[in-house]
Amino acid sequence: MSIPAYRRFVFPSSANPHLPLIVESVGCNPDQEKVNRPEGYPCYHWLQTDDGEGKITYGGESITLKPNSGILLPPGMPHAYETIDRNKWGTYYLTFGGEAAAAVLSAYAIHEPARFDWESDSILSDILASIVEQLQLGNDPFGLEVSSAAYRFLGLLSKYGQASRIPITRGIEKLQPLLTWINQNYDNPDIGLDTLAEVLNISGRHLNKLFQSIFAISPYAYLVQHRIHKAKEQLAGQPDLAVIQIAGESGFRDASHFVATFRKHTGMTPQQFRKLHI
């Protein structure tokens, strides 16, 4: 199926909180631009090639995505992707979350990050294109049908796709316990470099070197980026929650520090960001 013009459909994260799988966005891009996300994406992120070739890099690893192939990345994994040789690269993508998302993937034996390949005549080639076409009719504003379609897509992916678990570098493997710890404790404003280093029982200097080699940022900068991501989720998903409360729940000591840091990272205040997502 030929890729249509650029389309992106975004669904409110709080519309159907009880669905096992909540689709955040789905879309297509016939001329994929270069993307760099040093702090990763806040949801599970599926990206597949429809036309041309692209290169995706994460944690020091790079793979090529040709037609009839795609990759699933977990939330928060730093990555970047771009077309190869400046030729046009057509892509489809799906981002999703929900409390049961990890359990759904586990039930289908899908272990991210993972690359999938399939035959050109496989049903997998056209599923996302069909979803995008249906959404253009405007009959699913809250993502009920697309969530069901995404659930079916993952089931068919596990059945017809040939998965190859992407190797994670030793550095990523060593850092994974800390990345998990940060996700669970980012709201503590007392966290410093020594605290982070103690989680892995290594020196702060060693931790800094490890982070710089993999993510090109310091561990504390990663922590701050994670806090900003969490704040964005609350600003967009909980419009009635006060900014000062979001600041505290995101690990900032006071609202003024939060506003200044948020503006530095996004170029706008938290209130300005919230208005864009209401």
Side-chain angles (χ1 to χ4, degrees):
M1 183 177 293
S2 177
I3 191 167
Y6 177 80
R7 293 287 187 275
R8 175 174 171 82
F9 300 90
V10 181
F11 305 93
S13 59
S14 57
N16 299 287
H18 303 299
L19 288 174
L21 203 68
I22 300 175
V23 172
E24 186 237 16
S25 70
V26 62
C28 59
N29 192 342
D31 189 7
Q32 178 64 59
E33 71 278 11
K34 183 176 181 180
V35 171
N36 182 31
R37 296 193 180 106
E39 51 203 275
Y41 197 78
C43 304
Y44 288 97
H45 184 205
W46 168 260
L47 180 71
Q48 75 181 59
T49 292
D50 180 79
D51 185 51
E53 294 183 8
K55 179 181 73 171
I56 183 164
T57 302
Y58 76 99
E61 304 286 346
S62 293
I63 64 169
T64 298
L65 286 183
K66 298 181 179 181
N68 307 313
S69 69
I71 184 173
L72 178 67
L73 295 175
M77 173 168 279
H79 62 270
Y81 50 87
E82 61 184 317
T83 184
I84 293 178
D85 297 330
R86 298 185 181 180
N87 294 318
K88 281 192 175 183
W89 177 30
T91 65
Y92 281 93
Y93 58 88
L94 172 72
T95 62
F96 62 92
E99 293 184 0
V104 169
L105 292 173
S106 178
Y108 285 134
I110 298 176
H111 306 288
E112 76 288 344
R115 169 182 172 154
F116 285 83
D117 296 276
W118 53 89
E119 299 297 327
S120 59
D121 59 350
S122 170
I123 187 175
L124 292 171
S125 297
D126 296 335
I127 291 181
L128 293 190
S130 297
I131 292 175
V132 169
E133 287 185 352
Q134 289 299 314
L135 287 172
Q136 290 183 77
L137 300 177
N139 297 326
D140 190 24
F142 298 107
L144 285 170
E145 293 182 13
V146 76
S147 290
S148 297
Y151 192 95
R152 292 195 301 272
F153 169 70
L154 293 175
L156 292 170
L157 185 64
S158 68
K159 183 176 181 180
Y160 296 109
Q162 297 177 346
S164 56
R165 184 73 183 272
I166 303 171
I168 301 179
T169 63
R170 288 185 177 181
I172 286 285
E173 290 178 339
K174 188 173 181 63
L175 285 176
Q176 193 57 54
L178 176 57
L179 301 183
T180 301
W181 186 91
I182 287 175
N183 188 50
Q184 296 170 345
N185 297 276
Y186 66 90
D187 58 341
N188 180 358
D190 296 324
I191 297 174
L193 177 60
D194 290 341
T195 311
L196 299 173
E198 287 175 2
V199 175
L200 297 181
N201 195 28
I202 60 178
S203 69
R205 182 178 180 181
H206 185 188
L207 182 61
N208 257 325
K209 184 176 180 180
L210 195 55
F211 255 85
Q212 289 289 350
S213 67
I214 297 172
F215 299 137
I217 58 173
S218 71
Y220 192 77
Y222 178 92
L223 170 64
V224 173
Q225 289 180 349
H226 191 78
R227 286 170 170 167
I228 294 296
H229 260 310
K230 292 298 183 180
K232 285 180 178 179
E233 290 178 2
Q234 290 190 303
L235 286 167
Q238 302 184 56
D240 296 328
L241 202 60
V243 169
I244 189 171
Q245 185 174 348
I246 292 176
E249 293 181 3
S250 301
F252 294 90
R253 292 190 180 280
D254 54 66
S256 60
H257 180 212
F258 169 56
V259 172
T261 305
F262 193 93
R263 188 195 301 242
K264 178 181 178 181
H265 280 259
T266 66
M268 64 185 78
T269 67
Q271 289 288 18
Q272 289 171 333
F273 176 86
R274 171 173 269 169
K275 289 179 181 179
L276 294 176
H277 294 80
I278 293 178

